[in-house]
């Protein structure tokens, strides 16, 4: 490790755009406490704005699905070896892997064997499936930074120190969203019924869910003729697939909002979405939702066998009860989705009760993640940086 006379060094590896955002948040907390430390490795623009030296782009790590991961496996192995050699000689004082567990855990295991302290930011979803991964994590990670309060107890018998640091979305999003202001900005009438459709960002999600969501919206229009449909897109692929799908049903007149999911959900009365992080964002925005998911039948059967919890949606998992409906596979059909969405529109007291539960959830997750992560890292590894 570096002597007190040398500049200390922390390597970070973020695996994709979301990891880059988390890395930027982490650096925002760490840099003021470690002003002379060099932070370098794999990252993107959000990390660079915090003084990070991005020697490598995260693009090689941004794989999409099993097939893409298998196709690029030799390239990923070579890249991991290159990074390990760079971080081992001379050895960095600390390594922080940000998400991307399939890549980072292997790198962390090698660095830990070399005597380098390892931190992993964002616990893998061992609470949902792949509980057997705990042994792999124990060999690789000294400190696990967890986004959810139920995660640290899962590591109690592994020897891995785990700390709940809260969720950065809860810090960033307001406790009371400005629905009226967003509607004004979007030119939507205050009393108009509004539904946001978020069928996912990956190609598989969009192909499975987008046609079903649009068919459900067409049914809802029969019950709510003035319904405003908002359809945010996350990337260029979404832009193309949404444009093609809407061209088939021009009578829907859905309003496409590229890269504006936050605004779409804030303006909406109800959100119909694919299971994933968007469900947590909708909960933090206090929006009633219906969660849906469809995939290849064999893959669904495999994941159901691996699952440990009765829910797939983060709002239900975090609140430990079914507060919002989840319609999966065959249940995610236009008729059932439309009926579930319509129930939210028709039941104002239920919407108010749900907003209260989601406020409890927001307060639980709002922990000043940057500060808590910094405190956890320095409590465990401060001696490597002169006892800070």
């Amino acid at each position: 490790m570096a002597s007190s006379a040398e500049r200390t060094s922390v390597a970070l590896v973020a695996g994709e755009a979301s990891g880059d955002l988390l890395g930027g948040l982490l650096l925002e907390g760490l840099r003021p406490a470690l002003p002379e430390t060099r932070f370098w490795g794999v990252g993107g623009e959000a990390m660079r704005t915090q003084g990070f030296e991005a020697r490598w782009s995260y693009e090689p790590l941004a794989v999409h699905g099993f097939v893409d991961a298998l196709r690029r496996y030799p390239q990923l192995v070579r890249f991991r070896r290159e990074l390990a050699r760079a971080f081992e000689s001379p050895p960095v004082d600390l390594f922080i892997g940000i998400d991307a567990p399939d890549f980072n855990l292997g790198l962390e295991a090698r660095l830990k064997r070399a005597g380098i302290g390892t931190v992993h930011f964002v616990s893998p979803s061992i609470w949902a499936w792949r509980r057997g991964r705990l042994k792999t994590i124990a060999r690789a990670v000294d400190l696990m930074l967890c986004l959810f309060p139920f995660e640290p107890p899962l590591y109690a018998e592994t020897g891995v120190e785990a700390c709940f640091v809260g969720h950065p979305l809860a810090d960033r999003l307001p406790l009371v969203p400005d629905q009226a202001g967003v509607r004004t900005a979007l030119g939507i009438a205050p009393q108009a019924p509004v539904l946001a459709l978020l069928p996912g960002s990956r190609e598989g999600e969009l192909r499975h869910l987008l046609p079903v969501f649009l068919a459900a919206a067409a049914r809802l229009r029969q019950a709510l003729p003035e319904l405003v449909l908002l359809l945010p897109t996350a990337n260029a692929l979404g832009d193309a697939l949404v444009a093609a799908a809407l061209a088939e049903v021009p009578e829907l007149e859905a309003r496409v909002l590229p890269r504006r999911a936050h605004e779409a959900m804030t303006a909406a009365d109800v959100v119909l979405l694919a299971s994933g992080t968007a469900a947590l964002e909708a909960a933090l925005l206090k929006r009633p939702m219906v969660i849906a998911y469809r995939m290849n039948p064999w893959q669904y059967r495999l994941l159901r066998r691996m699952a440990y919890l009765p829910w797939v949606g983060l709002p239900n998992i975090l609140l430990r009860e079914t507060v919002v409906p989840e319609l999966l596979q065959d249940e995610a059909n236009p008729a059932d989705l439309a009926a579930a969405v319509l129930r939210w529109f028709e039941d104002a007291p239920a919407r108010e009760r749900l907003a209260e539960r989601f406020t409890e959830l927001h307060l639980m997750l709002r922990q000043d993640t940057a500060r808590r992560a910094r405190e956890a890292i320095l409590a465990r590894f401060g001696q490597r940086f002169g006892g800070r």
Side-chain angles (χ1 to χ4, degrees), residues 87-163:
F87 299 152
E88 287 174 336
S89 182
V92 296
D93 294 279
L94 185 65
F95 174 79
I96 304 175
I98 303 170
D99 213 357
D102 291 322
F103 184 88
N104 272 329
L105 288 175
L107 179 57
E108 289 158 7
R110 173 168 169 172
L111 297 178
K112 185 176 179 180
R113 288 195 299 271
I116 294 170
T118 57
V119 178
H120 194 86
F121 187 24
V122 182
S123 171
S125 300
I126 54 172
W127 37 268
W129 49 70
R130 297 185 70 176
R131 191 75 56 89
R133 190 179 249 186
L134 279 169
K135 293 181 180 179
T136 301
I137 293 171
R139 290 192 294 268
V141 178
D142 292 311
L143 174 63
M144 180 68 72
L145 301 178
C146 302
L147 299 184
F148 304 121
F150 61 81
E151 292 176 318
L154 300 175
Y155 293 94
E157 298 180 3
T158 66
V160 176
E161 182 180 346
C163 180

Coordinates of all heavy atoms in Angstrom, one line a residue, residues 87-163:
F87 N -4.3 -2.6 -11.5 CA -4.6 -2.2 -10.2 C -3.7 -2.9 -9.2 O -3.6 -2.4 -8.0 CB -6.1 -2.6 -9.8 CG -7.1 -1.9 -10.7 CD1 -8.3 -2.5 -10.9 CD2 -6.8 -0.6 -11.2 CE1 -9.3 -1.8 -11.7 CE2 -7.8 0.0 -12.0 CZ -9.0 -0.6 -12.2
E88 N -3.0 -3.9 -9.6 CA -2.1 -4.7 -8.7 C -0.7 -4.1 -8.7 O 0.0 -4.3 -7.7 CB -2.1 -6.2 -9.1 CG -3.3 -6.9 -8.7 CD -3.3 -8.3 -9.3 OE1 -2.6 -8.6 -10.3 OE2 -4.0 -9.2 -8.7
S89 N -0.3 -3.5 -9.8 CA 1.1 -3.1 -9.9 C 1.2 -1.7 -10.4 O 1.1 -1.5 -11.6 CB 1.9 -4.1 -10.8 OG 3.2 -3.7 -10.8
P90 N 1.5 -0.7 -9.5 CA 1.6 -0.8 -8.1 C 0.2 -1.0 -7.5 O -0.8 -0.5 -8.1 CB 2.2 0.5 -7.6 CG 1.8 1.5 -8.7 CD 1.8 0.7 -10.0
P91 N 0.1 -1.6 -6.3 CA -1.3 -1.9 -5.8 C -2.0 -0.6 -5.4 O -1.4 0.3 -4.7 CB -1.0 -2.8 -4.6 CG 0.4 -2.4 -4.2 CD 1.1 -2.1 -5.5
V92 N -3.3 -0.5 -5.7 CA -4.1 0.6 -5.3 C -4.4 0.4 -3.8 O -4.3 -0.7 -3.2 CB -5.4 0.6 -6.1 CG1 -5.1 1.0 -7.5 CG2 -6.2 -0.6 -5.9
D93 N -4.8 1.4 -3.1 CA -5.1 1.3 -1.7 C -6.5 0.8 -1.5 O -6.8 0.2 -0.4 CB -5.0 2.7 -1.1 CG -3.5 3.2 -1.1 OD1 -2.8 2.8 -0.2 OD2 -3.2 4.0 -2.0
L94 N -7.4 0.9 -2.5 CA -8.7 0.4 -2.3 C -9.3 0.3 -3.7 O -9.0 1.0 -4.6 CB -9.6 1.5 -1.5 CG -11.0 1.1 -1.1 CD1 -11.0 -0.1 -0.2 CD2 -11.7 2.3 -0.5
F95 N -10.2 -0.8 -3.8 CA -10.9 -1.0 -5.1 C -12.4 -0.9 -4.7 O -12.9 -1.5 -3.8 CB -10.6 -2.3 -5.7 CG -11.5 -2.6 -6.9 CD1 -11.2 -2.0 -8.1 CD2 -12.6 -3.4 -6.8 CE1 -12.0 -2.2 -9.2 CE2 -13.4 -3.6 -7.9 CZ -13.1 -3.0 -9.1
I96 N -13.2 -0.2 -5.6 CA -14.6 -0.1 -5.4 C -15.3 -0.6 -6.7 O -15.1 0.1 -7.8 CB -15.1 1.3 -5.1 CG1 -14.4 1.8 -3.8 CG2 -16.6 1.4 -4.9 CD1 -14.7 3.3 -3.5
G97 N -16.0 -1.7 -6.7 CA -16.7 -2.2 -7.8 C -18.2 -1.6 -7.7 O -18.8 -1.8 -6.7
I98 N -18.6 -1.0 -8.8 CA -20.0 -0.4 -8.8 C -20.9 -1.2 -9.7 O -20.8 -1.3 -10.9 CB -19.9 1.0 -9.3 CG1 -18.9 1.8 -8.4 CG2 -21.3 1.7 -9.3 CD1 -18.6 3.2 -9.0
D99 N -21.8 -1.9 -9.0 CA -22.8 -2.8 -9.7 C -22.0 -3.8 -10.6 O -21.0 -4.3 -10.2 CB -23.8 -2.0 -10.4 CG -25.2 -2.6 -10.5 OD1 -25.3 -3.7 -9.9 OD2 -26.1 -2.0 -11.0
A100 N -22.6 -4.2 -11.7 CA -22.0 -5.1 -12.7 C -21.4 -6.3 -11.9 O -20.2 -6.6 -12.1 CB -20.9 -4.4 -13.5
P101 N -22.1 -7.1 -11.1 CA -21.5 -8.1 -10.3 C -20.9 -9.2 -11.0 O -19.9 -9.8 -10.6 CB -22.7 -8.6 -9.4 CG -23.9 -8.2 -10.2 CD -23.6 -6.9 -10.9
D102 N -21.4 -9.6 -12.2 CA -20.9 -10.7 -13.0 C -19.4 -10.4 -13.4 O -18.6 -11.3 -13.5 CB -21.7 -11.0 -14.2 CG -23.0 -11.6 -13.8 OD1 -23.1 -12.4 -12.9 OD2 -24.1 -11.3 -14.4
F103 N -19.1 -9.1 -13.6 CA -17.8 -8.7 -13.9 C -17.0 -8.4 -12.7 O -15.8 -8.8 -12.5 CB -17.8 -7.5 -14.9 CG -16.4 -7.1 -15.4 CD1 -15.9 -7.7 -16.5 CD2 -15.7 -6.1 -14.7 CE1 -14.6 -7.3 -16.9 CE2 -14.5 -5.7 -15.1 CZ -13.9 -6.3 -16.3
N104 N -17.5 -7.6 -11.8 CA -16.7 -7.0 -10.7 C -16.4 -8.0 -9.6 O -15.3 -7.9 -9.0 CB -17.5 -5.8 -10.1 CG -17.2 -4.5 -10.9 OD1 -16.0 -4.3 -11.4 ND2 -18.1 -3.6 -10.9
L105 N -17.3 -8.9 -9.4 CA -17.0 -9.9 -8.3 C -15.7 -10.7 -8.6 O -14.9 -11.0 -7.7 CB -18.2 -10.8 -8.0 CG -19.4 -10.1 -7.3 CD1 -20.5 -11.1 -7.2 CD2 -19.0 -9.6 -5.9
G106 N -15.5 -11.1 -9.8 CA -14.3 -11.8 -10.2 C -13.1 -11.0 -10.0 O -12.0 -11.4 -9.5
L107 N -13.2 -9.7 -10.4 CA -12.1 -8.8 -10.3 C -11.8 -8.5 -8.8 O -10.6 -8.5 -8.4 CB -12.4 -7.5 -11.0 CG -11.4 -6.4 -11.0 CD1 -10.0 -6.8 -11.5 CD2 -11.9 -5.2 -11.8
E108 N -12.8 -8.4 -8.0 CA -12.7 -8.1 -6.6 C -12.0 -9.3 -5.9 O -11.2 -9.1 -5.0 CB -14.0 -7.8 -6.0 CG -14.5 -6.4 -6.4 CD -16.1 -6.3 -6.2 OE1 -16.7 -7.2 -5.7 OE2 -16.6 -5.2 -6.7
A109 N -12.4 -10.5 -6.3 CA -11.8 -11.7 -5.7 C -10.3 -11.8 -5.9 O -9.5 -12.1 -5.0 CB -12.5 -13.0 -6.2
R110 N -9.9 -11.5 -7.1 CA -8.4 -11.5 -7.4 C -7.7 -10.4 -6.6 O -6.6 -10.6 -6.0 CB -8.2 -11.3 -8.9 CG -6.7 -11.1 -9.2 CD -6.5 -11.2 -10.7 NE -5.1 -10.8 -11.0 CZ -4.5 -10.9 -12.2 NH1 -5.2 -11.5 -13.2 NH2 -3.3 -10.5 -12.5
L111 N -8.3 -9.2 -6.6 CA -7.6 -8.1 -5.8 C -7.6 -8.3 -4.3 O -6.6 -8.0 -3.7 CB -8.4 -6.8 -6.2 CG -8.3 -6.3 -7.6 CD1 -9.1 -5.0 -7.8 CD2 -6.9 -6.1 -8.1
K112 N -8.7 -8.9 -3.8 CA -8.7 -9.2 -2.4 C -7.6 -10.2 -2.0 O -6.9 -10.1 -1.0 CB -10.1 -9.8 -2.0 CG -10.2 -10.0 -0.5 CD -11.6 -10.4 -0.1 CE -11.8 -10.7 1.4 NZ -13.1 -11.1 1.8
R113 N -7.4 -11.2 -2.9 CA -6.3 -12.2 -2.6 C -4.9 -11.5 -2.6 O -4.0 -11.9 -2.0 CB -6.3 -13.3 -3.7 CG -7.5 -14.3 -3.5 CD -7.3 -15.5 -4.4 NE -7.1 -15.2 -5.8 CZ -8.1 -15.2 -6.6 NH1 -9.4 -15.4 -6.2 NH2 -7.9 -14.9 -7.9
A114 N -4.8 -10.4 -3.4 CA -3.6 -9.7 -3.5 C -3.4 -8.7 -2.3 O -2.4 -7.9 -2.2 CB -3.5 -8.9 -4.8
G115 N -4.4 -8.7 -1.4 CA -4.3 -7.8 -0.2 C -4.9 -6.4 -0.4 O -4.7 -5.6 0.5
I116 N -5.6 -6.2 -1.4 CA -6.2 -4.9 -1.7 C -7.6 -5.0 -1.1 O -8.4 -5.9 -1.3 CB -6.3 -4.6 -3.2 CG1 -4.8 -4.5 -3.7 CG2 -7.1 -3.4 -3.5 CD1 -4.7 -4.4 -5.2
G117 N -8.0 -3.9 -0.4 CA -9.4 -3.8 0.2 C -10.4 -3.7 -0.9 O -10.1 -3.0 -1.9
T118 N -11.5 -4.3 -0.8 CA -12.5 -4.3 -1.8 C -13.9 -3.9 -1.3 O -14.3 -4.3 -0.2 CB -12.7 -5.7 -2.5 OG1 -13.0 -6.7 -1.5 CG2 -11.4 -6.1 -3.2
V119 N -14.5 -3.0 -2.0 CA -15.9 -2.5 -1.7 C -16.8 -2.8 -2.9 O -16.3 -2.6 -4.1 CB -15.9 -1.0 -1.4 CG1 -17.3 -0.5 -1.1 CG2 -14.9 -0.6 -0.3
H120 N -18.0 -3.2 -2.7 CA -18.9 -3.4 -3.8 C -20.2 -2.5 -3.4 O -20.7 -2.6 -2.4 CB -19.4 -4.8 -3.9 CG -20.1 -5.1 -5.2 ND1 -19.4 -5.4 -6.4 CD2 -21.4 -5.1 -5.5 CE1 -20.3 -5.5 -7.4 NE2 -21.5 -5.4 -6.9
F121 N -20.5 -1.6 -4.4 CA -21.6 -0.7 -4.2 C -22.8 -1.1 -5.0 O -22.8 -1.2 -6.2 CB -21.1 0.7 -4.7 CG -22.1 1.8 -4.4 CD1 -23.0 1.7 -3.4 CD2 -22.1 3.0 -5.1 CE1 -23.9 2.8 -3.1 CE2 -23.0 4.0 -4.9 CZ -23.9 3.9 -3.8
V122 N -23.8 -1.5 -4.2 CA -25.1 -2.0 -4.7 C -25.1 -3.5 -4.6 O -24.4 -4.2 -5.4 CB -25.5 -1.6 -6.1 CG1 -26.9 -2.2 -6.4 CG2 -25.6 -0.1 -6.2
S123 N -25.7 -4.0 -3.5 CA -25.8 -5.5 -3.4 C -26.5 -6.2 -4.5 O -27.5 -5.7 -5.0 CB -26.5 -5.8 -2.1 OG -26.7 -7.2 -2.0
P124 N -25.9 -7.3 -5.0 CA -26.7 -8.1 -6.0 C -28.0 -8.5 -5.4 O -28.1 -8.6 -4.2 CB -25.7 -9.2 -6.3 CG -24.4 -8.8 -5.9 CD -24.6 -7.8 -4.8
S125 N -28.9 -8.8 -6.3 CA -30.3 -9.2 -5.8 C -30.4 -10.6 -5.2 O -31.2 -11.4 -5.7 CB -31.3 -9.0 -6.9 OG -31.3 -7.6 -7.4
I126 N -29.5 -10.9 -4.2 CA -29.5 -12.2 -3.7 C -30.8 -12.5 -2.9 O -31.2 -13.7 -2.7 CB -28.3 -12.4 -2.7 CG1 -28.3 -11.3 -1.7 CG2 -27.0 -12.4 -3.5 CD1 -27.3 -11.5 -0.6
W127 N -31.5 -11.5 -2.5 CA -32.8 -11.6 -1.8 C -33.9 -12.1 -2.8 O -35.0 -12.6 -2.4 CB -33.2 -10.3 -1.2 CG -32.9 -9.1 -2.0 CD1 -31.7 -8.4 -1.9 CD2 -33.7 -8.5 -3.0 NE1 -31.8 -7.3 -2.8 CE2 -32.9 -7.4 -3.5 CE3 -34.9 -8.7 -3.6 CZ2 -33.4 -6.5 -4.5 CZ3 -35.4 -7.9 -4.6 CH2 -34.7 -6.8 -5.0
A128 N -33.7 -11.9 -4.1 CA -34.7 -12.3 -5.1 C -34.4 -13.7 -5.7 O -35.2 -14.5 -5.8 CB -34.8 -11.3 -6.2
W129 N -33.1 -13.9 -6.0 CA -32.7 -15.2 -6.5 C -31.1 -15.3 -6.4 O -30.5 -14.3 -6.0 CB -33.1 -15.4 -8.0 CG -32.8 -14.3 -8.9 CD1 -31.6 -13.8 -9.3 CD2 -33.7 -13.4 -9.5 NE1 -31.7 -12.8 -10.1 CE2 -33.0 -12.5 -10.3 CE3 -35.1 -13.3 -9.4 CZ2 -33.6 -11.5 -11.0 CZ3 -35.7 -12.3 -10.2 CH2 -35.0 -11.4 -10.9
R130 N -30.6 -16.4 -6.7 CA -29.1 -16.7 -6.6 C -28.6 -16.5 -5.2 O -27.5 -15.8 -5.1 CB -28.4 -15.8 -7.7 CG -28.8 -16.2 -9.1 CD -28.0 -15.4 -10.1 NE -26.6 -15.8 -10.2 CZ -25.7 -15.4 -11.1 NH1 -26.1 -14.5 -11.9 NH2 -24.5 -15.8 -11.0
R131 N -29.3 -17.0 -4.2 CA -28.8 -16.9 -2.9 C -27.4 -17.6 -2.7 O -26.6 -17.2 -1.9 CB -29.8 -17.5 -1.9 CG -29.6 -17.3 -0.4 CD -29.9 -15.9 0.0 NE -31.3 -15.5 -0.3 CZ -32.3 -15.6 0.5 NH1 -32.2 -16.3 1.6 NH2 -33.5 -15.2 0.2
G132 N -27.1 -18.6 -3.6 CA -25.9 -19.2 -3.5 C -24.7 -18.3 -3.9 O -23.5 -18.7 -3.6
R133 N -25.0 -17.2 -4.4 CA -23.9 -16.2 -4.7 C -23.2 -15.7 -3.5 O -22.2 -15.0 -3.6 CB -24.5 -15.1 -5.6 CG -23.4 -14.2 -6.2 CD -24.1 -13.1 -7.1 NE -23.8 -13.3 -8.5 CZ -24.2 -12.5 -9.4 NH1 -24.8 -11.4 -9.1 NH2 -23.9 -12.7 -10.7
L134 N -23.8 -15.9 -2.3 CA -23.2 -15.3 -1.1 C -21.8 -15.8 -0.9 O -20.9 -15.1 -0.4 CB -24.1 -15.7 0.1 CG -25.3 -14.8 0.4 CD1 -26.2 -15.5 1.4 CD2 -24.9 -13.4 0.8
K135 N -21.5 -17.1 -1.2 CA -20.2 -17.6 -1.0 C -19.2 -16.9 -2.0 O -18.1 -16.6 -1.6 CB -20.2 -19.1 -1.3 CG -20.9 -19.9 -0.3 CD -20.9 -21.4 -0.6 CE -21.7 -22.2 0.4 NZ -21.6 -23.7 0.1
T136 N -19.6 -16.6 -3.2 CA -18.8 -15.9 -4.1 C -18.5 -14.5 -3.6 O -17.4 -14.0 -3.7 CB -19.4 -15.8 -5.5 OG1 -19.7 -17.1 -6.0 CG2 -18.6 -15.1 -6.5
I137 N -19.5 -13.8 -3.1 CA -19.4 -12.5 -2.5 C -18.4 -12.5 -1.4 O -17.5 -11.6 -1.2 CB -20.7 -11.9 -2.2 CG1 -21.6 -11.7 -3.4 CG2 -20.6 -10.6 -1.4 CD1 -23.0 -11.3 -3.1
A138 N -18.5 -13.5 -0.5 CA -17.7 -13.5 0.7 C -16.2 -13.7 0.3 O -15.3 -13.1 1.0 CB -18.1 -14.7 1.6
R139 N -15.9 -14.3 -0.8 CA -14.5 -14.5 -1.3 C -14.0 -13.2 -1.9 O -12.8 -13.0 -2.0 CB -14.4 -15.6 -2.3 CG -14.5 -17.0 -1.6 CD -14.1 -18.1 -2.6 NE -15.0 -18.1 -3.8 CZ -16.1 -18.9 -3.9 NH1 -16.4 -19.7 -2.8 NH2 -16.8 -18.9 -4.9
A140 N -14.9 -12.3 -2.3 CA -14.5 -11.2 -3.1 C -14.6 -9.8 -2.4 O -13.8 -8.9 -2.7 CB -15.4 -11.1 -4.4
V141 N -15.5 -9.7 -1.4 CA -15.9 -8.4 -0.9 C -15.6 -8.2 0.5 O -15.9 -9.1 1.3 CB -17.4 -8.1 -1.2 CG1 -17.8 -6.8 -0.6 CG2 -17.7 -8.2 -2.7
D142 N -14.9 -7.1 0.9 CA -14.7 -6.8 2.3 C -15.9 -5.9 2.9 O -16.3 -6.1 4.0 CB -13.4 -5.9 2.5 CG -12.2 -6.8 2.2 OD1 -12.1 -7.9 2.7 OD2 -11.3 -6.3 1.4
L143 N -16.4 -5.0 2.0 CA -17.5 -4.1 2.5 C -18.5 -4.0 1.4 O -18.2 -3.7 0.2 CB -16.9 -2.7 2.8 CG -18.0 -1.6 3.1 CD1 -18.7 -2.0 4.4 CD2 -17.3 -0.3 3.2
M144 N -19.8 -4.4 1.7 CA -20.9 -4.3 0.8 C -21.8 -3.1 1.2 O -22.2 -3.0 2.3 CB -21.7 -5.5 0.8 CG -22.9 -5.5 -0.1 SD -22.5 -5.6 -1.9 CE -21.9 -7.3 -2.0
L145 N -22.0 -2.2 0.2 CA -22.8 -1.0 0.5 C -24.2 -1.3 -0.1 O -24.4 -1.6 -1.3 CB -22.3 0.2 -0.2 CG -20.9 0.6 0.3 CD1 -20.4 1.9 -0.5 CD2 -20.8 0.9 1.7
C146 N -25.2 -1.3 0.7 CA -26.6 -1.8 0.4 C -27.5 -0.6 0.2 O -27.5 0.3 1.0 CB -27.1 -2.8 1.4 SG -26.0 -4.2 1.7
L147 N -28.4 -0.7 -0.8 CA -29.4 0.3 -1.0 C -30.7 0.1 -0.2 O -31.4 1.1 0.0 CB -29.8 0.3 -2.5 CG -28.7 0.6 -3.5 CD1 -29.3 0.7 -4.9 CD2 -27.9 1.9 -3.2
F148 N -30.9 -1.1 0.3 CA -32.2 -1.4 1.0 C -31.9 -2.0 2.4 O -30.9 -2.7 2.6 CB -33.0 -2.4 0.2 CG -33.2 -2.0 -1.2 CD1 -32.8 -2.8 -2.3 CD2 -33.9 -0.8 -1.5 CE1 -33.1 -2.4 -3.6 CE2 -34.2 -0.4 -2.8 CZ -33.7 -1.2 -3.8
P149 N -32.7 -1.6 3.4 CA -32.5 -2.0 4.8 C -32.5 -3.4 5.1 O -31.9 -3.9 6.1 CB -33.5 -1.2 5.5 CG -34.6 -0.9 4.6 CD -34.0 -0.8 3.2
F150 N -33.2 -4.2 4.3 CA -33.3 -5.7 4.6 C -32.1 -6.4 4.0 O -32.0 -7.6 4.3 CB -34.6 -6.3 3.9 CG -34.7 -6.1 2.4 CD1 -34.0 -7.0 1.6 CD2 -35.4 -5.1 1.9 CE1 -34.1 -6.9 0.2 CE2 -35.5 -5.0 0.5 CZ -34.9 -5.9 -0.3
E151 N -31.2 -5.8 3.3 CA -30.1 -6.5 2.7 C -28.9 -6.8 3.7 O -28.4 -8.0 3.7 CB -29.5 -5.7 1.5 CG -30.5 -5.7 0.4 CD -30.0 -4.9 -0.8 OE1 -29.5 -3.7 -0.6 OE2 -30.1 -5.3 -1.9
P152 N -28.5 -5.9 4.6 CA -27.4 -6.3 5.5 C -27.5 -7.5 6.3 O -26.6 -8.3 6.4 CB -27.2 -5.0 6.4 CG -27.7 -3.9 5.5 CD -28.8 -4.5 4.7
P153 N -28.7 -7.8 6.9 CA -28.8 -9.1 7.6 C -28.6 -10.3 6.8 O -28.2 -11.4 7.3 CB -30.3 -9.1 8.1 CG -30.7 -7.6 8.2 CD -29.9 -7.0 7.0
L154 N -28.7 -10.3 5.5 CA -28.5 -11.4 4.6 C -27.0 -11.8 4.6 O -26.6 -12.9 4.3 CB -28.9 -11.1 3.2 CG -30.4 -10.9 3.0 CD1 -30.7 -10.5 1.5 CD2 -31.2 -12.1 3.4
Y155 N -26.1 -10.8 5.0 CA -24.7 -11.1 5.0 C -24.1 -11.4 6.4 O -22.9 -11.6 6.6 CB -23.9 -9.8 4.4 CG -24.2 -9.6 3.0 CD1 -25.2 -8.7 2.6 CD2 -23.5 -10.2 2.0 CE1 -25.5 -8.5 1.3 CE2 -23.7 -10.0 0.6 CZ -24.7 -9.1 0.3 OH -25.0 -8.9 -1.1
A156 N -25.0 -11.5 7.3 CA -24.6 -11.7 8.7 C -23.6 -12.8 9.0 O -22.7 -12.7 9.8 CB -25.8 -11.8 9.7
E157 N -23.8 -13.9 8.3 CA -23.0 -15.1 8.5 C -22.0 -15.4 7.5 O -21.4 -16.4 7.4 CB -23.9 -16.4 8.6 CG -24.9 -16.3 9.8 CD -25.8 -17.5 9.9 OE1 -25.6 -18.4 9.0 OE2 -26.7 -17.5 10.7
T158 N -21.7 -14.4 6.7 CA -20.7 -14.5 5.6 C -19.3 -14.0 5.9 O -18.4 -14.3 5.1 CB -21.2 -13.9 4.3 OG1 -21.3 -12.4 4.5 CG2 -22.6 -14.4 3.9
G159 N -19.2 -13.1 6.9 CA -18.0 -12.4 7.1 C -17.8 -11.2 6.3 O -16.8 -10.4 6.5
V160 N -18.8 -10.9 5.5 CA -18.8 -9.6 4.7 C -19.5 -8.5 5.6 O -20.6 -8.7 6.0 CB -19.5 -9.8 3.4 CG1 -19.6 -8.5 2.6 CG2 -18.9 -10.8 2.5
E161 N -18.8 -7.4 5.8 CA -19.4 -6.3 6.4 C -20.4 -5.6 5.4 O -20.0 -5.3 4.3 CB -18.3 -5.3 6.9 CG -18.9 -4.1 7.6 CD -17.8 -3.1 8.1 OE1 -16.6 -3.4 8.0 OE2 -18.2 -2.0 8.4
A162 N -21.6 -5.5 5.8 CA -22.6 -4.9 5.0 C -23.3 -3.7 5.7 O -23.6 -3.8 6.8 CB -23.7 -5.9 4.6
C163 N -23.4 -2.6 4.9 CA -24.0 -1.4 5.5 C -25.1 -0.8 4.6 O -24.9 -0.7 3.4 CB -22.8 -0.4 5.6 SG -23.3 1.2 6.3

